[in-house]
Amino acid sequence: MKLATLNDGTRDGTLVLVSQDLRTILPCSMTAPTLQAAIERWDEVEAPLVRLSRALDAGQAPGTLPFEATSMKAPLPRAWQWLDGSAFPTHGDLMQTAYNLPPVPAGVPLMYQGLSHQFIAGHDDVAFPSVEDGIDFEAELAVIVDDVPQGVSAEDALGHIKLIMLVNDWSLRIIGSAEMRTGFGWVQAKPACSAAPVVVTPDELGDRWENGRVHLPVLVHYHGLQFGAAEAGSMAFGFHDLIAHAARTRSLCAGTIIGSGTISNRNYAQVGSSCIAEKRAIEKIGSGEAFTPFMQDGESVRIEVRQLRGSLFGAIDQRVVVAATAR
């Protein structure tokens, strides 16, 4: 089942079902008005939504509309909580080696709590104050959970994963370097994330969903060329492990989004990278100097996951703009 949020002029939009081929949508507000409302009552609304979804794919649902990515908000335009992990060790290893950073603790997921009250639609321009802040994209996958009890086991956490989404976790690298040295973590360096328009239930992935991991490459195109195609299934910690880590001392409310961190593979020389910072780290390790610049005013990045039948989540395809006040 595929779901999205139609932009109806309200903050939270209207929940719609999306056909498998991303060509048509079906408003389903009588079942649940918003995605947040659906995830809070998932046990109640899942079966009716599945029936409607099957009718939509069979061409038997009245009231369908064309799917237009530009008419969609982020699936959850505002969320109760955004917790981003770092589940790909290669990314951390490269950054540590390139910049002589202290080693991270082994065997425990890294995670921070970021801005959650806004997720940007995947087609909208993204405004930043200045290119001097080191504008960078980060291709990630994420999951949306229902209510998760405190102390949940990783095994039980799998059952709380209801939806999977594609995220660009924007970062301002120059600010981030300074904020990390304070020991208090990120605030200014982590603006709102962007999200592809469509979320999917795990069963949509078939055998590509295994052990709390999505076994598909995440494609990144920058300057019109493929920048990365890292395999998302190489997480050291599955999403269920990240959920259990986050819930060790607190419950997680329905609608909490858990991110994978920047997708990164050990064969980065073949598959590329999912963010500019990692590419710069590889350059620095190899030649002693990082020469790929961070994003500039007017540049675009496209992030997508594809299956044989086409795009899974729709695309994040966005342009960076420098805010008028900073010019």
Side-chain angles (χ1 to χ4, degrees), residues 257-278:
I257 304 175
I258 309 283
S260 67
T262 307
I263 299 166
S264 181
N265 295 167
R266 296 216 173 271
N267 60 334
Y268 51 80
Q270 287 74 46
V271 302
S273 298
S274 298
C275 68
I276 296 172
E278 182 175 299

Side-chain angles (χ1 to χ4, degrees), residues 185-241:
W186 291 306
V187 176
Q188 294 179 347
K190 286 292 185 178
C193 297
S194 299
V198 176
V199 291
V200 306
T201 49
D203 62 285
E204 284 291 322
L205 295 165
D207 61 3
R208 297 293 185 170
W209 174 250
E210 183 180 6
N211 196 25
R213 295 163 171 82
V214 176
H215 294 272
L216 287 167
V218 176
L219 308 177
V220 179
H221 284 81
Y222 182 43
H223 293 152
L225 301 173
Q226 185 165 296
F227 189 87
E231 167 61 49
S234 63
M235 299 169 74
F237 302 97
F239 279 111
H240 55 314
D241 299 309

Side-chain angles (χ1 to χ4, degrees), residues 20 29 37 40 43-44 51 64 83 89 128 131 146 159-160 185 196 198 214 217 278-279 296 298 317 324:
Q20 294 284 333
S29 58
E40 289 177 355
D43 288 344
E44 178 184 342
R51 288 194 293 270
T64 61
L83 299 171
F128 294 100
V131 295
D146 63 2
H160 291 281
V198 176
V214 176
E278 182 175 299
K279 183 172 177 61
Q296 303 298 304
D317 196 348

Side-chain angles (χ1 to χ4, degrees), residues 86 88-93 95-96 101-110 180 237:
S86 183
F88 295 89
T90 299
H91 178 72
D93 291 347
M95 302 302 286
Q96 178 186 335
L101 301 175
V104 299
V108 179
L110 296 176
M180 287 177 68
F237 302 97

Side-chain angles (χ1 to χ4, degrees), residues 4-16:
T5 294
L6 180 66
N7 187 353
D8 63 357
T10 66
R11 285 188 170 187
D12 298 309
T14 297
L15 182 65
V16 295

